[in-house]
Amino acid sequence: MAAFFWRHEHGAKWRSITAELGPGWRVAQLFILWAKLGVWERLLERVKEQHGAVLGMTFLGGSNIGAHHQAAEAQKRGLFRRARPL
């Protein structure tokens, strides 16, 4: 389970998980299996019961959201693009 926390904390891909935590493909498969079995939902419900219903809010920083690689090449033209004549 430490691999799940490490991945979440670092915002990394499964294959970037450190060797000490196990192979990334195995950790990813376990995560998917637990999702199918409803483990994550039950865990969230238990945490809500113990700590109240304050969970559920997510804050995203700009460092967590990447732009598409083509966005760097886009020209700034204002809010709306004008349709090109045919």
Side-chain angles (χ1 to χ4, degrees), residues 6-81:
W6 184 92
R7 181 180 180 265
H8 174 73
E9 190 175 309
H10 291 86
K13 296 182 185 292
W14 291 113
R15 64 178 170 257
S16 300
I17 292 175
T18 61
E20 298 86 32
L21 298 174
W25 64 269
R26 186 175 297 160
V27 177
Q29 291 299 315
L30 183 60
F31 184 88
I32 292 167
L33 176 64
W34 284 10
K36 288 180 181 177
L37 295 175
V39 172
W40 298 116
E41 287 82 7
R42 290 194 305 271
L43 183 61
L44 179 62
E45 289 304 318
R46 181 166 291 183
V47 170
K48 282 182 181 179
E49 289 171 3
Q50 292 179 359
H51 299 287
V54 294
L55 296 175
M57 298 181 78
T58 302
F59 296 95
L60 296 175
S63 61
N64 295 358
I65 302 170
H68 192 273
H69 67 278
Q70 291 177 346
E73 302 168 9
Q75 296 178 3
K76 299 187 187 304
R77 299 184 184 184
L79 292 177
F80 301 101
R81 255 188 166 164

